[in-house]
Amino acid sequence: MRQGEIVSAALGSLRSNPVRSLLTAFGVTVGVMAVVVLVGVVAGIGGFVQQQFESMLSATAFSISRHNPGFHDVESMTRSRSWPSLTYSEAEALFEYMTTARAVSWSANASGTVIRHGLSAGGVQIQGLSPSSEEVSGSEITAGRFFNWAEDEACSRVCILGSGVAEALLLTRDSLGTSVLIEGHRFTVIGLNKAAGSVMGRSLDDNVSVPFSTFRNLFSRPDTDVRITVLPAEGVGMETCREEAVQLLRRLRGLTSEEDDNFYIVTQESALSSINELLSGVAAVTIGIAAISLLVGGIGIMNITLVSVSERTTEIGTRRALGATRGNVVVQFLAEAVMVSTIGGLIGLLLGILAVLGVSRLTPLPAAVSGWSVVAALGFSGIVGLLFGVFPAWKASRLVPMEALRHE
Amino acid sequence: MLPQETPGSRPLVVDAENLGKSYRMGEVPVNALAGVNLKLFQGEFATVMGASGSGKSTLLSIVGCLDRPDSGSYLLMGKRVDGMDDRDLARVRNRNIGFIFQTFNLLPRATSLQNVELPLMYGGVPGKERRQRALAILDRVGLASRAHHRPSQLSGGERQRVAIARALVTDPSLLLADEPTGNLDSVTGRSIMDLIRQVHNEGNTILLVTHDPLVAAMGSRMIRLGDGRVLEDTGS
């Protein structure tokens, strides 16, 4: 028999019982759909987070922080709680003494409400930024300007609004110079930030930036953490610059050579690698779920193929009498199992693609169908049919022809 | 080795000697065949009678190469088949033997034409030739107009005609019929027997198993089996 004949014979026998064939394929459909959707969503989140990280911290800079952005290491998170906060004076010392840095900036955050003419924006992130932050941070100013050193030294009440806050207060680029109340203090708006989007449903635009010294006077609390970001000078490697910052900070903190660092150095690379670690954990769970549903689907296929073999015992006997070899019989039933499984896989793939498109339309997650998940899903559904079809097909081929012919 | 010649110069189609076969029915071994000798010459129409359990079906399945004997030798068209493996037996069944069953055994989802094409498909005959040969043989059994009907759209007699066409399409050396009229009314049964006789008159060798003495009487030779032995053989 030719391959085309085998395929059309298998399709013909599936068509004779379409409802049963579809129900049998359903398990594989669900498995393939789960893979396509979860892989699509996870890859979407990964790409999005990476993009956000790249916009927040340039690839060449590193920051110094009491917190580790990795989510995985519970032990180090517990340990870091006993560490001293980074302080403004440490930041200033790095700024003053570092020779390999092009820029050293520092920042701190608080939360509060911004009010203008009876309009208010709550839960806004108030950021105190050193004037040097302009060079280091990824955010861009679309209107107005950043604050300068003079304003920082004078603790001037000037601010730059994130686009979310500006929108809430109905401020446009024409509103520069207008004044707003931040936690009851009057500030003059001197700039507007470019919209940055959101990470996992949290907006990056609901913030207001003020000079660091102003922040320290008005909003800082004793436990406020300072985050320091360092941009290496041109021609200086990240390693060299980092080493200088580490040694300087250890000296400032009086750490002996036996003591470990009590601060974290975070680079874009290290932040991304811990996120990727998290995402690959999610991917592993996904693969586990897919494997279970494909297993269940496969058992369904085996079950129905066994039923089909016993229903068609006389047919098998007849075919054998007419000259079918055991191999012909194996191929016939295997082709049917693979076909059911592959059709289930195709349906799952279609539903999965639709679901991924739905997710990317209806949620902020930029989910996308990845090529390898399509190939893997279809490949695996074929393999499932093959694996779980082998036993029924083998059973069919071992029937004694004469007994099969006399089967009622 | 050429088929053995007889005094009448007709080749020997079936040459089985001392065939033995036993089964286990649970704990009890059953001697289905206990030393059966059978020689069938080309063009012979032999009928086999016997009570159930006499060994008829076992003989049919061994002569039809669906099973192998435990002992004895079996030459089909001068070729030893008793020791062949499964694959070779399948090829022999495909090329040398045509089966006609009591319950017709047509594939329910296939048309008459597709059913008749089936043995040619297993024989590796290309599609176009297959179709031509199948149509020609359907015409010969008077069913050219029913080529594209499924078995459910045919009468019992028509189904058996399709089955006979399927048995003949490979031009086999031996036709084996197992109660071919057992599921038909007497009128239809007679027309099927007429067709089988016509097939015999065209020179085919036929071995037919039946319960019905009237049917058995239509053959040129009758063999009676009992307890796995030949009790009577009008041909030898």
Side-chain angles (χ1 to χ4, degrees):
Chain A
M1 274 170 92
R2 275 158 252 271
Q3 268 163 2
E5 280 163 358
I6 295 168
V7 170
S8 71
L11 277 176
S13 96
L14 297 183
R15 261 207 306 273
S16 74
N17 219 332
V19 174
R20 189 166 88 181
S21 304
L22 274 182
L23 287 177
T24 307
F26 189 67
V28 177
T29 299
V30 170
V32 167
M33 186 175 150
V35 175
V36 173
V37 171
L38 289 176
V39 169
V41 169
V42 166
I45 293 174
F48 188 62
V49 169
Q50 177 160 355
Q51 199 187 328
Q52 293 301 331
F53 261 87
E54 279 165 8
S55 72
M56 285 195 297
L57 181 64
S58 82
T60 48
F62 62 89
S63 64
I64 309 167
S65 164
R66 190 165 71 112
H67 299 292
N68 183 4
F71 316 89
H72 54 293
D73 196 347
V74 178
E75 196 191 325
S76 70
M77 276 168 79
T78 324
R79 196 174 35 158
S80 70
R81 246 174 240 150
S82 63
W83 290 353
S85 297
L86 285 156
T87 62
Y88 167 61
S89 53
E90 285 170 337
E92 262 192 337
L94 289 179
F95 179 75
E96 207 68 41
Y97 298 117
M98 278 192 72
T99 56
T100 60
R102 188 170 112 204
V104 175
S105 72
W106 51 96
S107 64
N109 296 330
S111 168
T113 307
V114 185
I115 297 174
R116 174 187 169 257
H117 291 184
L119 294 169
S120 91
V124 172
Q125 192 186 37
I126 305 168
Q127 302 175 319
L129 302 177
S130 67
S132 52
S133 297
E134 191 182 9
E135 220 174 330
V136 177
S137 91
S139 61
E140 258 178 78
I141 290 193
T142 52
R145 60 173 181 83
F146 206 71
F147 20 79
N148 54 39
W149 287 105
E151 283 163 334
D152 187 66
E153 251 162 66
C155 297
S156 296
R157 300 194 174 183
V158 291
C159 67
I160 297 163
L161 297 180
S163 63
V165 176
E167 221 168 276
L169 303 182
L170 303 176
L171 290 170
T172 63
R173 50 195 312 132
D174 303 324
S175 325
L176 294 176
T178 206
S179 61
V180 295
L181 292 174
I182 304 175
E183 288 290 276
H185 303 285
R186 187 166 296 277
F187 278 76
T188 304
V189 178
I190 59 162
L192 298 177
N193 266 334
K194 191 180 166 188
S198 56
V199 176
M200 302 193 200
R202 231 186 90 198
S203 170
L204 294 175
D205 298 314
D206 289 338
N207 57 53
V208 54
S209 309
V210 303
F212 188 86
S213 306
T214 316
F215 179 91
R216 211 152 66 106
N217 275 349
L218 299 176
F219 310 115
S220 185
R221 284 186 292 168
D223 60 342
T224 300
D225 277 314
V226 176
R227 181 182 159 109
I228 302 168
T229 304
V230 181
L231 188 65
E234 264 173 77
V236 176
M238 161 102 76
E239 276 308 307
T240 317
C241 186
R242 198 164 85 173
E243 196 48 36
E244 192 196 7
V246 168
Q247 290 312 324
L248 204 56
L249 206 51
R250 287 180 66 91
R251 270 220 308 282
L252 285 170
R253 292 191 161 188
L255 295 176
T256 65
S257 54
E258 282 88 44
E259 285 174 292
D260 290 330
D261 294 346
N262 52 10
F263 49 86
Y264 284 112
I265 302 283
V266 182
T267 61
Q268 195 188 89
E269 201 183 331
S270 71
L272 285 177
S273 80
S274 45
I275 281 179
N276 284 335
E277 213 166 292
L278 181 80
L279 287 177
S280 61
V282 175
V285 172
T286 307
I287 288 165
I289 292 169
I292 289 168
S293 53
L294 286 177
L295 177 73
V296 172
I299 290 170
I301 285 172
M302 179 153 81
N303 187 30
I304 219 71
T305 313
L306 282 170
V307 170
S308 170
V309 167
S310 88
E311 276 179 355
R312 286 154 68 189
T313 301
T314 317
E315 177 191 324
I316 294 165
T318 307
R319 286 177 182 272
R320 298 275 278 136
L322 299 181
T325 60
R326 282 194 179 132
N328 290 140
V329 174
V330 166
V331 167
Q332 181 191 344
F333 284 95
L334 216 47
E336 283 185 31
V338 170
M339 205 73 79
V340 167
S341 189
T342 308
I343 288 170
L346 276 171
I347 296 172
L349 179 61
L350 271 178
L351 293 180
I353 290 173
L354 287 179
V356 168
L357 288 179
V359 166
S360 66
R361 282 275 165 82
L362 303 175
T363 70
L365 295 173
V369 178
S370 68
W372 73 264
S373 75
V374 171
V375 174
L378 288 183
F380 275 117
S381 60
I383 289 170
V384 163
L386 208 58
L387 277 180
F388 289 91
V390 161
F391 174 64
W394 175 82
K395 241 188 113 180
S397 77
R398 303 314 289 188
L399 289 171
V400 177
M402 203 59 200
E403 282 170 24
L405 279 168
R406 300 190 158 252
H407 184 85
E408 290 297 309
Chain B
M1 187 164 111
L2 283 167
Q4 200 180 322
E5 299 288 312
T6 64
S9 89
R10 287 187 302 175
L12 203 49
V13 176
V14 172
D15 182 5
E17 266 178 36
N18 208 18
L19 291 179
K21 182 80 184 174
S22 61
Y23 297 103
R24 294 189 77 85
M25 289 274 275
E27 295 291 295
V28 194
V30 177
N31 278 332
L33 291 182
V36 169
N37 296 316
L38 178 66
K39 286 188 193 321
L40 265 183
F41 294 100
Q42 192 167 65
E44 265 196 298
F45 180 3
T47 56
V48 180
M49 286 194 70
S52 58
S54 60
K56 290 186 315 247
S57 337
T58 308
L59 181 64
L60 200 69
S61 83
I62 287 172
V63 173
C65 295
L66 287 167
D67 208 348
R68 281 178 285 252
D70 293 340
S71 58
S73 73
Y74 175 22
L75 282 77
L76 182 70
M77 296 301 286
K79 208 176 196 176
R80 256 199 107 118
V81 293
D82 53 74
M84 277 188 176
D85 65 13
D86 193 78
R87 204 185 168 77
D88 289 336
L89 281 179
R91 187 174 302 143
V92 169
R93 288 196 297 273
N94 183 250
R95 293 191 182 159
N96 297 84
I97 293 170
F99 285 94
I100 301 165
F101 305 99
Q102 180 177 355
T103 49
F104 326 132
N105 291 21
L106 300 176
L107 302 191
R109 291 180 308 272
T111 62
S112 307
L113 182 64
Q114 288 166 334
N115 267 293
V116 176
E117 279 188 47
L118 199 60
L120 297 176
M121 196 159 88
Y122 285 122
V125 177
K128 206 174 161 190
E129 184 192 337
R130 218 158 65 194
R131 210 179 148 79
Q132 282 169 352
R133 282 170 67 178
L135 280 171
I137 207 93
L138 276 170
D139 192 32
R140 232 173 92 194
V141 299
L143 282 182
S145 61
R146 293 277 194 265
H148 299 288
H149 290 60
R150 286 167 201 276
S152 57
Q153 298 166 306
L154 302 174
S155 70
E158 287 172 328
R159 289 182 207 182
Q160 193 60 299
R161 279 170 190 270
V162 173
I164 290 170
R166 182 176 66 185
L168 288 172
V169 74
T170 53
D171 201 11
S173 335
L174 175 65
L175 274 180
L176 292 177
D178 186 4
E179 300 275 10
T181 58
N183 270 28
L184 300 171
D185 63 73
S186 58
V187 176
T188 315
R190 212 167 302 138
S191 82
I192 290 298
M193 282 314 297
D194 286 344
L195 177 61
I196 289 176
R197 263 220 299 246
Q198 181 197 324
V199 165
H200 170 234
N201 289 337
E202 285 161 3
N204 287 286
T205 314
I206 301 174
L207 185 69
L208 184 148
V209 169
T210 185
H211 274 105
D212 186 343
L214 285 176
V215 170
M218 290 186 197
S220 54
R221 168 183 171 192
M222 196 183 75
I223 300 159
R224 246 165 27 89
L225 284 185
D227 294 330
R229 292 172 200 280
V230 175
L231 301 180
E232 188 191 346
D233 186 344
T234 60
S236 55

